[in-house]
Amino acid sequence: MTFPSGTLLAQSALSGVFIGSMYGLLGMGLGLAWGLLHIINLAHFGFAFLAAYLCYQLASVGGIDPLLTLALIIPLFFALGMAVQWLLSRFSVSPLNSLLATFGLTAIIEAGIQYFWTADFRKLESVYSGQKLRVGGLFVPVPELLTLVLALVLGFSIWAAMRYTNLGRALRALAEDAPMAAAFGVNRRAHALLLAGVCGALAGIAGVCLALSFTLTPSQIYAWVGVVFAAVMLGGLGSPLGPVAAGMVVGVSEAVTMAFASPSWAPIVSFSLLIALLLLRPGRT
Amino acid sequence: MRTGHRFTRGLGVALCSFALLATGAHAQGTQAPIRIGSTLALTGPLAATALVHKVVGEIYVEQLNKRGGLLGRPVEWIVRDDQSKPELARTLYEQLLTVDKVDLLMGPYATGAILSAMSVAQRYDKVLIHHTFGIPSLAKYDKQFPAWSLGPDPANTVPTTVFTALAASPKPPKTIAVVTSKFPSVHFMSLGAREVAKKRGLNEVLFLEWDFGNLDYGPIAARIKDAKPDFLWVGALGLEGNQLLEAMNKIDYAPAEHFYMYPAPGPMSKSPLAKNALSMTMFEEHPPFTNAAGAKEFIDLYHERAAKAGIPDTSVEVQAAASYTAWQILEAAVRGTNSIDDAKMAAWLKANRVETIQGKLRFDGPSNYGDDLMRVKQVQNGRWVTVYPKEYAAPGATLLVQ
């Protein structure tokens, strides 16, 4: 093994930060729903890809700027998130069963995407596609930079809202002790619907970022599940910033492994890191 | 009088012809159809390419029935969705034989599913003609016949063809980087490329492997850029080639000469980043391939049907051609033996050559593979054109280097 050059190492680490922010952005809504609503929503990945395809359609066929598609995608996926939560709550689906039910929903979404857009690859060519900045000897692609900025802004905003607003406090109280929170006048049903809507909107935003940076194909939905789950578990359930930070740790560890050794070692390193951190972190039960 | 006689004779001929046609049509209409069973990955990760095989199969069966079917019987194609899962393909082939009771089999798409189908065909002693089997050494069953004309030792012959083409180019490479997915059917070819490159005196400056499904190509691109190879061999399957090209572009790097094993044909040729990218082919939409019997009609029909099926790239290239070839082999075997007896068909295929749109195929080599018919193609002006060997090159096309 030869030691990589400083530029190679820095460029690889930067690539890890960018892919990590994508893991984090995808994991943010998943982790919030898991931690605060006790719903393991696998359909979150399906929603993200559905949003990516909608963005592709609106931008490539409708000629709309991909970022402007957020104006439609955010409210639409907010409503979808609420609808799923309403259904799960209406039928009192348990956390484990929510995993199964939303897996089924993901399969339906995948089939729907394949029906409308076929299984063929779709690549969004937009004004942002080839843009990159040069910082010293490093190249910073604009679509990935947008993902990073969105992940950080959304992560901090949600964290602040959870910490400093009454709504956030109510949501945390519901997650900790729902009957007690209800006794203090917190409307569980309304708050759960609102949070599920936010998670749906986050999936929509992640989808737009996916469309900006990646070539789309329906079966790619599942390629993200393992590593995003790892980021969510590592970052902590119910935390908006945790998955972003953990995603970056996973992304950078994978990227640096690829710079030093064979890329096929990358998943071994990142998942070993996950196991080690889960075993060694303080307060584990 | 003479005119009246001629008229009567003409009327008689016309009536007889009509009667014969009607009888033929009636015979084809009343006889039980010959049922051909297969699976295709109509959903799942392989669905994009499997859709090509579905469209081609439908075209071929339609053409076959227009020609009167097989043995005077109409042909019915039963295709099931194996969801890109080899284990499901095995079950479905079992069902096709035991429940649907099909007369003949046609292979599924992709090496894994074909291996599964092969084991079922072997158990029931059926002929299995398949389109895209990538690892000939694994094809042990004596009644399987490939339409994917790689020859019996592609890990040696395919890279040899590529390096010979490059050696004849205006700027032969001196250094090589081999980067490859660990997907079995491309991985062994990439390992073969390393060996052949070594024998030919190319200096290997980088060798990397990644797991199929890798999401971050940034570090791989950075390492390629750092290694500065004259020639980049990419053992890519489907979208991986495009993903690597995009990652290299993000760090402002374009490889001097670059080869992709099994790229997604449409997305790669349409990508501006893929300028001068090389790959392998056995058929492209230009002479001399289009001179083959039936090729032009097939191409026109495929353009129309593929567009209707929502396939973004409607050009006929290796996948569609291999699929058409497989059906041609099946038809030739039935017509050659005048039966649907699997033993007779297998014996006939081993003893005879089959004229296809790829060229004349033989099945008398190891694992029933014949000649390696792979040629080198290149992305030029947004389309694939064959550039090597000269006799198969598109009119006026030569291998371009950056």
Side-chain angles (χ1 to χ4, degrees):
Chain A
M1 184 168 66
T2 52
F3 200 82
S5 68
T7 313
L8 167 59
L9 203 56
Q11 189 70 59
S12 299
L14 194 60
S15 180
V17 168
F18 289 139
I19 193 82
S21 62
M22 191 69 242
Y23 299 157
L25 193 52
L26 269 169
M28 204 183 289
L30 182 76
L32 285 170
W34 193 345
L36 302 177
L37 299 175
H38 308 297
I39 298 292
I40 310 169
N41 186 9
L42 270 178
H44 191 79
F45 296 94
F47 283 164
F49 269 80
L50 184 59
Y53 273 92
L54 280 177
C55 174
Y56 163 82
Q57 188 73 18
L58 292 167
S60 58
V61 180
I64 303 168
D65 185 293
L67 292 180
L68 288 181
T69 64
L70 285 169
L72 174 76
I73 284 171
I74 290 175
L76 178 66
F77 283 81
F78 185 90
L80 273 175
M82 287 211 302
V84 171
Q85 172 60 26
W86 181 83
L87 277 171
L88 294 174
S89 134
R90 168 73 183 75
F91 294 101
S92 308
V93 178
S94 68
L96 186 62
N97 286 344
S98 71
L99 186 73
L100 297 173
T102 54
F103 177 72
L105 184 56
T106 310
I108 293 168
I109 294 169
E110 186 199 2
I113 290 172
Q114 188 166 321
Y115 179 80
F116 286 108
W117 287 281
T118 77
D120 229 308
F121 308 119
R122 306 279 166 173
K123 175 77 184 132
L124 172 61
E125 296 298 340
S126 71
V127 285
Y128 308 103
S129 299
Q131 283 190 29
K132 48 187 172 274
L133 309 171
R134 188 159 185 173
V135 183
L138 302 181
F139 291 90
V140 182
V142 170
E144 277 81 348
L145 185 63
L146 279 169
T147 306
L148 175 66
V149 170
L150 276 171
L152 290 173
V153 167
L154 288 167
F156 275 109
S157 305
I158 295 171
W159 172 80
M162 299 284 287
R163 196 169 174 83
Y164 299 114
T165 66
N166 285 338
L167 182 68
R169 287 191 197 101
L171 283 168
R172 283 190 290 139
L174 276 171
E176 213 159 292
D177 193 336
M180 188 60 79
F184 279 86
V186 177
N187 184 336
R188 185 173 192 274
R189 198 177 147 83
H191 281 83
L193 282 173
L194 180 69
L195 182 65
V198 169
C199 295
L202 286 171
I205 296 166
V208 171
C209 293
L210 278 171
L212 282 172
S213 300
F214 295 88
T215 303
L216 304 172
T217 180
S219 58
Q220 279 287 98
I221 292 174
Y222 304 103
W224 295 84
V225 174
V227 71
V228 171
F229 258 79
V232 167
M233 291 169 76
L234 206 56
L237 304 180
S239 158
L241 276 173
V244 180
M248 285 183 195
V249 169
V250 172
V252 171
S253 68
E254 284 182 342
V256 171
T257 308
M258 288 194 210
F260 272 102
S262 175
S264 55
W265 280 86
I268 301 170
V269 170
S270 59
F271 281 97
S272 302
L273 189 71
L274 170 73
I275 294 166
L277 285 173
L278 287 177
L279 288 175
L280 300 174
R281 74 176 174 189
R284 73 183 177 87
T285 49
Chain B
M1 182 71 188
R2 230 153 81 192
T3 314
H5 196 71
R6 205 183 291 157
F7 173 77
T8 315
R9 207 167 53 190
L11 188 69
V13 169
L15 281 171
C16 287
S17 310
F18 179 77
L20 274 172
L21 274 173
T23 317
H26 180 72
Q28 198 197 317
T30 51
Q31 287 207 51
I34 290 179
R35 306 176 86 204
I36 302 171
S38 74
T39 76
L40 283 174
L42 299 176
T43 53
L46 304 173
T49 314
L51 184 58
V52 170
H53 293 272
K54 184 167 181 275
V55 170
V56 175
E58 284 165 355
I59 289 172
Y60 201 93
V61 172
E62 184 186 306
Q63 286 181 324
L64 195 55
N65 282 327
K66 273 188 189 159
R67 291 197 295 269
L70 288 171
L71 312 177
R73 292 163 62 184
V75 172
E76 186 189 337
W77 182 33
I78 300 168
V79 58
R80 304 255 185 262
D81 178 13
D82 62 39
Q83 299 172 23
S84 307
K85 295 172 185 164
E87 69 280 9
L88 182 59
R90 185 179 297 117
T91 309
L92 292 174
Y93 271 90
E94 193 93 37
Q95 279 180 9
L96 284 165
L97 288 167
T98 56
V99 180
D100 297 300
K101 300 203 184 301
V102 297
D103 301 292
L104 298 167
L105 292 179
M106 174 55 73
Y109 166 61
T111 302
I114 295 170
L115 260 181
S116 292
M118 208 181 282
S119 65
V120 180
Q122 186 164 17
R123 200 154 54 246
Y124 290 89
D125 212 20
K126 299 291 289 181
V127 162
L128 183 77
I129 295 160
H130 46 85
H131 330 104
T132 53
F133 193 70
I135 313 176
S137 61
L138 295 180
K140 303 287 186 199
Y141 175 45
D142 69 336
K143 289 194 182 74
Q144 60 75 34
F145 298 93
W148 198 246
S149 314
L150 284 167
D153 184 19
N156 176 35
T157 54
V158 169
T160 298
T161 306
V162 177
F163 294 133
T164 308
L166 287 166
S169 75
K171 204 173 156 192
K174 292 187 175 63
T175 59
I176 181 174
V178 177
V179 299
T180 184
S181 164
K182 286 172 92 174
F183 195 83
S185 53
V186 295
H187 189 246
F188 88 106
M189 296 284 254
S190 297
L191 297 184
R194 292 184 82 190
E195 291 302 313
V196 176
K198 201 169 147 190
K199 278 184 202 154
R200 297 180 74 109
L202 272 92
N203 177 27
E204 185 183 280
V205 290
L206 181 70
F207 173 67
L208 292 178
E209 297 164 305
W210 66 81
D211 283 317
F212 184 64
N214 178 47
L215 291 168
D216 186 11
Y217 287 86
I220 298 170
R223 287 189 68 176
I224 295 167
K225 186 180 181 181
D226 210 46
K228 297 186 195 75
D230 295 338
F231 175 60
L232 174 64
W233 171 289
V234 186
L237 186 77
L239 198 53
E240 292 177 324
N242 280 65
Q243 288 171 321
L244 185 60
L245 274 169
E246 284 160 17
M248 289 191 287
N249 180 54
K250 280 172 187 167
I251 53 168
D252 217 22
Y253 177 71
E257 292 173 68
H258 46 148
F259 171 87
Y260 301 81
M261 194 59 239
Y262 294 129
M268 178 149 289
S269 65
K270 301 286 176 286
S271 168
L273 309 176
K275 187 182 167 199
N276 294 352
L278 300 167
S279 189
M280 300 304 295
T281 188
M282 55 185 85
F283 186 93
E284 294 300 320
E285 280 188 10
H286 59 69
F289 301 105
T290 46
N291 299 337
K296 277 187 179 142
E297 190 195 349
F298 166 55
I299 289 168
D300 289 343
L301 265 173
Y302 183 80
H303 288 177
E304 182 200 320
R305 303 292 167 82
K308 223 178 257 178
I311 298 174
D313 182 58
T314 59
S315 53
V316 172
E317 48 74 66
V318 277
Q319 292 290 340
S323 198
Y324 196 82
T325 303
W327 287 96
Q328 286 183 305
I329 297 167
L330 185 67
E331 183 183 355
V334 174
R335 292 201 191 284
T337 56
N338 207 25
S339 81
I340 50 170
D341 182 287
D342 290 274
K344 282 183 189 168
M345 286 167 62
W348 188 89
L349 283 171
K350 282 183 189 176
N352 291 278
R353 287 182 174 231
V354 177
E355 192 70 64
T356 72
I357 56 167
Q358 286 179 42
K360 239 179 187 160
L361 303 189
R362 62 182 178 88
F363 307 98
D364 53 0
S367 300
N368 293 350
Y369 276 75
D371 302 306
D372 176 358
L373 298 183
M374 288 291 178
R375 291 108 189 183
V376 181
K377 66 177 176 180
Q378 187 170 41
V379 175
Q380 293 185 3
N381 302 317
R383 61 185 279 255
W384 289 107
V385 289
T386 310
V387 291
Y388 182 87
K390 218 158 128 188
E391 57 271 28
Y392 287 96
T398 53
L399 197 154
L400 302 176
V401 291
Q402 308 261 19

